[in-house]
Amino acid sequence: MAGHRDPLDELVVPDGTEAKEVALETDGDVLIGSRSTIEFGVRGRNVLAGENVTVEGEIEAEGDCRLDMWCDVAENVLVGQDAYIGERVHIAGELKVAGDLDIGDDVDIEEGFEANGWIVIRNPMPTIVLMFVYLKHLLLIGEEDTAQRLISELVDEDDDTDDPETDPLVIPRNATVGDDAWRVSTPATLGDNCRLHGNVRAETIDVGRECNVFGSLRARGDVTVGEETRIHGDLTTRDGDVVLTDDARVLGDVSCADLELGPGAEIDGTIRADGEITMDTGERELE
């Protein structure tokens, strides 16, 4: 049987995401894989974090917030609807919940908590763990459509006010995301109109249109840069090719195998290509 990619095994940054000084902001949901470190705050619609996730800032969720076991949050957690806090979670600030609070054993909230709805003290995380085990099973048997519907229901439930078509921000397991660098061992896809600070390190990198990345890109495989996107640093691949589409610009050096330049694409630094360099001027001969 052919293998199927886990949809959570990829860094996915949706359109319009911004990495500001104190927080990573997106209009959609945020899914954070286990054992990841986020070196600033997180702001989104629903925020879901796996086991042993560290957030070195504040979490603001317009909808629900789910923190699995042993998560560590350095500042406040502010939740617009319901919160589900697993056992042995540590929150250095305060927890404020507009809806219901479901809280596990041995949770440490240094500045206290308040909830406007029901408060249930138990461990709510096994339900979430079961859902992800079920998701894995669906992928193994090839039911990708069913798995995608499950993810959509998980991150979009109880939310009728926002655009359901907004893609979630997905941070894979064991990732490090911060102002200095975004390090993942998976492919990375950055949407359109994103503004990110930090060097991106991934297996492959696909950057959308009209983005600003204030850092370098480094990948083992291929790198594609969308139209009118600016990379404020170097672009390097170990074994892959690089494609710069129309009016894309790299303000540093480019090192790759094959290089393809679209109309208006610019490289301010040095080009090191082991293979071919192809330039498309955009001109077409009239027959």
Side-chain angles (χ1 to χ4, degrees), residues 129-257:
V129 173
L130 177 62
M131 294 183 76
F132 280 97
V133 171
Y134 180 49
L135 173 64
K136 280 280 192 181
H137 175 69
L138 290 174
L139 293 169
L140 288 174
I141 64 175
E143 295 288 341
E144 294 182 340
D145 292 340
T146 304
Q148 190 60 52
R149 286 197 299 271
L150 174 63
I151 295 174
S152 298
E153 292 173 3
L154 178 64
V155 299
D156 289 334
E157 66 176 354
D158 300 328
D159 187 3
D160 298 325
T161 58
D162 292 294
D163 182 6
E165 298 300 325
T166 302
D167 293 329
L169 168 63
V170 180
I171 298 173
R173 304 171 188 85
N174 303 306
T176 299
V177 174
D179 195 53
D180 178 62
W182 298 51
R183 296 187 180 92
V184 299
S185 57
T186 66
T189 301
L190 311 184
D192 301 335
N193 299 295
C194 293
R195 183 181 179 88
L196 306 181
H197 290 260
N199 304 309
V200 180
R201 306 287 184 261
E203 185 69 26
T204 61
I205 303 174
D206 187 350
V207 186
R209 303 178 51 172
E210 300 181 21
C211 295
N212 267 295
V213 179
F214 294 91
S216 62
L217 304 182
R218 180 178 296 173
R220 293 177 180 270
D222 297 341
V223 178
T224 301
V225 180
E227 297 178 14
E228 300 184 32
T229 285
R230 298 291 179 268
I231 307 300
H232 299 258
D234 297 334
L235 194 163
T236 306
T237 73
R238 180 179 297 180
D239 303 309
D241 301 332
V242 168
V243 177
L244 302 183
T245 57
D246 301 6
D247 298 315
R249 183 178 179 184
V250 177
L251 277 68
D253 300 337
V254 172
S255 178
C256 60

Side-chain angles (χ1 to χ4, degrees), residues 280-287:
D280 183 356
T281 62
E283 297 178 355
R284 297 291 184 269
E285 293 184 0
L286 297 177
E287 296 182 355

Side-chain angles (χ1 to χ4, degrees), residues 96 111 114 264 281:
K96 290 187 176 182
E111 298 184 14
E114 61 181 70
T281 62

